[in-house]
Amino acid sequence: MSKLLCLRPFSLLPAVLSAIATLAITPPAPAGPPDPASYSATFEHAAVAADHPLASQAGAEILEKGGNAVDAAVAVSFALSVVRPESCGIGGGGFMVIHLQDDPRFGTLTTAINYREQCPTGIDSMYYTRPENAEEFASTRGAKAVAIPGTVAGLFYALEKYGTLKPDIVLAPAIRAAEGGFIADDHIVSSARDIGRWIDKDPILRRERFAFAWERFCARGTLKAGDRLTLPEQAQALRLLAQRGAGVFYFGEIGQAIIAAIQRDGGPMLAADLASFKVDEIRPLQVEAAGRTFHCMPPPSSGGMALAQTLGILERSPQKLTDHPRQSPASIHLLAETMKHAFADRARWLGDPAFGKVPVERLMSDEYLRQRAAVFDPTHTLATDRYGTTPGSPGEAVDDGGTSHFSVIDARGNAVACTETINLEFGSLLCVPEFGFALNNQMDDFLTRPGEANAFGLTQSRRNLPEPGKRPLSSMSPTIAISKDTGRVELIAGAAGGPRIISATLQIIINALIHRMTAADAMAAPRFHTQWMPDTLWLEDELRGGGLESGLVTLGHHTAGKCPQAAAQMILIRDRRIEAASDPRKGGRPAGY
Ligand code: GLY
């Protein structure tokens, strides 16, 4: 299966760049339906669903030791940094939504932690348009693509405020995995093959700029499933973090090594930039739909807004998803048309609210959601400019992976939904060799070259131009649903996969809560993706051909195959049992007790 993402449509990027514009969530399609036992399980007390079995086990180990969901989440994240270096890690950033149930310190509370990377001071809105930064992949590979990493600060913030265990305990499973090694699976092999092909073409990339990624993550182009990978250098970084805390990453030895790696490769980040990274704790966005309260991530996530808007519009629509068979042209049409409003608003209105007003209240208002619901035409798609805010209303005109999600629930009913990213697979490919991790390429999530789409094919407005200290817009959508009947967590979900995060998270939530599917079935069900622009409805193979696709074409959709994939993780609490499912598209497996 092709792993290409949408290229910048108006640029003359060489074909070679297509090979790097890939995501870390695109494993080979499984042949036939996957066996649910390979990617899902039921537990009585507590569970973790992550996209690597060792990461789920790291969290389950902490839960069994009496840690709460936040302790477990921090353990999972550090473990993922080791076993999914293609997807996330201490060189990246993320969002965490936390729900505490009757906590002795905080009572019942839901909060969100924003540790999305920030733009360094040396990069402004015109940076990538200047001749000295004209290298085609300046915003995707190498030191100029690196934003200030936030994962370490975010995890320590969460642990110190909402966790209960000490760093050395929660970091222990990750240190063990880094030292003892882990077995390469299809996902890392396929990611390493993609970037390896690109690195291998140029001796400068191979021997100098991305030598650590080439040697260690790609095994010089020979990595195969079943090989054992060890990361003793990252074990050393994790040990330092366990002993000395986050400061060692932002002001100490690890920080010095990060800045040295960036400066060797000609990047602008300074030690003062790294030292200035700030974690932001914020109130989640809330939406009432389908008898639940959904807690979603606010901007600079676009995913929370998109989920909240889509669920809010569906709630107000006279047409209901349940009026139609689940995978019929009519139900996919309703959901896709609703999602297009959210993606159109993403492109026009969203950015980091710390750097300009994002009209969250208006876009989430009852009146606005009703208006969007009212323009739905059950017989046809609309002209593209009719999605989202109507033309002529205040605002701007459109001027224009490597990610991992995990879900945790503990025995007390506390929950964490966490999505983390280094952006494209293995991030910028620029590694910190002394400490064995890749730095992100999150700068490409900004609007780096006005008029061009980013590596995910997303068009964006000037609200998302780079500015020192600003965080790039994200699609990450960690979500917790609380049952209105019980007041307790009913579902914890999210995904990896750039904009497909939003469509996948929505579809698994709808499958589980509206169509009442099991977590395993909700996860495995074939999915579609649309992001408003390009005006395409991508269908997974099982949805292609036959009456379903021709029905969608009749309704005006431009259907396509080779659906770019997402990898979701979900925990569903139903009838007092915990159903946990990892996405069979990536190869995770839940753990718990
Ligand atoms: N880097 C992918 C995202 O944050 O949406």
Side-chain angles (χ1 to χ4, degrees):
M1 173 185 297
S2 164
K3 296 178 63 176
L4 301 189
L5 286 174
C6 310
L7 290 177
R8 298 169 187 278
F10 310 116
S11 78
L12 297 173
L13 289 179
V16 69
L17 187 54
S18 68
I20 63 164
T22 53
L23 253 193
I25 42 62
T26 48
D35 173 6
S38 68
Y39 66 89
S40 65
T42 303
F43 303 98
E44 269 181 53
H45 303 288
V48 181
D51 64 18
H52 194 290
L54 288 181
S56 296
Q57 284 163 27
E61 174 183 324
I62 296 299
L63 292 172
E64 288 198 68
K65 284 195 164 120
N68 72 4
V70 177
D71 298 314
V74 174
V76 174
S77 173
F78 279 119
L80 284 168
S81 177
V82 176
V83 300
R84 282 276 179 242
E86 72 276 30
S87 302
C88 58
I90 57 178
F95 297 137
M96 188 183 284
V97 178
I98 297 174
H99 176 81
L100 296 180
Q101 190 79 39
D102 303 322
D103 182 86
R105 299 162 297 173
F106 299 100
T108 295
L109 150 154
T110 310
T111 188
I113 301 182
N114 171 7
Y115 50 99
R116 178 80 165 155
E117 297 91 330
Q118 290 180 284
C119 176
T121 47
I123 299 186
D124 63 11
S125 61
M126 300 305 289
Y127 182 83
Y128 295 98
T129 63
R130 295 199 183 100
E132 64 271 26
N133 304 317
E135 192 174 46
E136 301 257 34
F137 52 87
S139 71
T140 52
R141 301 300 188 189
K144 291 175 180 170
V146 182
I148 308 167
T151 291
V152 169
L155 295 181
F156 272 86
Y157 180 96
L159 185 68
E160 282 161 16
K161 186 158 180 190
Y162 296 115
T164 63
L165 299 178
K166 296 271 178 264
D168 58 332
I169 298 175
V170 297
L171 275 145
I175 295 171
R176 258 192 343 259
E179 278 174 339
F182 59 98
I183 302 300
D185 65 2
D186 287 343
H187 189 270
I188 189 168
V189 170
S190 128
S191 303
R193 196 173 46 231
D194 283 344
I195 58 138
R197 273 195 212 112
W198 182 71
I199 294 177
D200 198 17
K201 287 185 198 293
D202 182 344
I204 304 273
L205 303 184
R206 199 168 62 226
R207 296 200 198 114
E208 294 173 23
R209 297 189 62 187
F210 307 132
F212 188 93
W214 170 248
E215 301 274 332
R216 303 295 298 286
F217 295 139
C218 303
R220 302 179 186 197
T222 67
L223 187 70
K224 56 186 187 319
D227 288 353
R228 180 171 287 276
L229 290 169
T230 56
L231 286 173
E233 302 88 347
Q234 194 171 145
Q236 176 57 9
L238 298 173
R239 263 195 302 272
L240 284 174
L241 291 171
Q243 289 155 9
R244 311 223 314 255
V248 73
F249 189 92
Y250 290 95
F251 328 104
E253 289 98 301
I254 304 176
Q256 285 157 14
I258 292 172
I259 297 302
I262 288 179
Q263 292 183 350
R264 274 197 301 275
D265 198 50
M269 194 189 299
L270 304 172
D273 290 324
L274 194 55
S276 72
F277 184 83
K278 292 260 175 325
V279 175
D280 192 15
E281 182 170 355
I282 31 180
R283 266 166 60 101
L285 282 177
Q286 275 186 35
V287 62
E288 311 288 327
R292 283 93 180 176
T293 305
F294 291 84
H295 295 267
C296 310
M297 194 73 206
S301 166
S302 65
M305 284 288 293
L307 247 69
Q309 282 191 302
T310 305
L311 293 170
I313 295 169
L314 286 172
E315 189 76 1
R316 289 159 180 81
S317 171
Q319 301 255 333
K320 300 290 168 213
L321 288 169
T322 44
D323 293 344
H324 313 284
R326 190 173 60 80
Q327 278 176 346
S328 58
S331 80
I332 292 182
H333 179 61
L334 174 58
L335 184 51
E337 289 293 281
T338 309
M339 284 163 51
K340 284 193 216 166
H341 290 297
F343 273 102
D345 282 336
R346 179 198 200 281
R348 290 170 173 141
W349 296 102
L350 297 196
D352 184 348
F355 284 75
K357 175 122 179 77
V358 178
V360 174
E361 292 77 18
R362 183 177 71 76
L363 297 175
M364 292 282 299
S365 69
D366 181 57
E367 186 193 354
Y368 182 69
L369 299 174
R370 275 186 202 288
Q371 282 169 4
R372 297 301 92 209
V375 299
F376 175 68
D377 179 349
T379 67
H380 212 276
T381 52
L382 308 176
T384 49
D385 63 2
R386 292 196 61 210
Y387 297 98
T389 300
T390 47
S393 64
E396 299 170 347
V398 181
D399 181 24
D400 10 306
T403 301
S404 179
H405 174 84
F406 60 88
S407 300
V408 184
I409 184 130
D410 70 21
R412 288 166 286 233
N414 304 313
V416 171
C418 181
T419 315
E420 297 181 330
T421 179
I422 48 173
N423 197 24
L424 302 181
E425 54 196 0
F426 298 105
S428 65
L429 300 180
L430 183 71
C431 294
V432 183
E434 301 89 328
F435 293 107
F437 63 93
L439 291 162
N440 68 81
N441 57 349
Q442 222 64 248
M443 290 305 297
D444 194 61
D445 271 351
F446 281 113
L447 173 63
T448 54
R449 292 178 181 126
E452 294 185 16
N454 73 2
F456 295 105
L458 288 165
T459 52
Q460 323 202 52
S461 80
R462 300 178 70 81
R463 292 165 193 269
N464 192 34
L465 282 169
E467 287 181 66
K470 194 172 182 178
R471 302 182 208 259
L473 196 54
S474 170
S475 298
M476 294 187 291
S477 318
T479 302
I480 296 179
I482 309 283
S483 158
K484 285 201 179 163
D485 293 339
T486 63
R488 296 179 74 86
V489 172
E490 188 175 353
L491 176 142
I492 311 151
R500 283 91 61 184
I501 290 173
I502 297 169
S503 46
T505 306
L506 267 165
Q507 286 169 81
I508 61 168
I509 289 174
I510 288 168
N511 287 346
L513 297 184
I514 296 182
H515 298 300
R516 305 278 306 162
M517 293 165 77
T518 64
D521 290 348
M523 188 64 77
R527 298 196 284 253
F528 65 88
H529 174 69
T530 182
Q531 57 189 46
W532 177 57
M533 296 290 246
D535 183 10
T536 302
L537 182 66
W538 285 276
L539 303 174
E540 284 191 331
D541 288 349
E542 297 86 334
L543 300 179
R544 294 213 74 199
L548 178 60
E549 186 166 10
S550 61
L552 288 164
V553 170
T554 306
L555 288 165
H557 295 278
H558 302 116
T559 58
K562 295 194 177 359
C563 183
Q565 290 187 339
Q569 316 291 323
M570 176 166 63
I571 291 178
L572 176 66
I573 296 92
R574 186 176 278 158
D575 302 330
R576 305 171 75 111
R577 288 175 70 76
I578 300 169
E579 294 177 29
S582 296
D583 202 318
R585 296 163 184 79
K586 185 164 181 178
R589 185 178 302 158
Y593 68 98

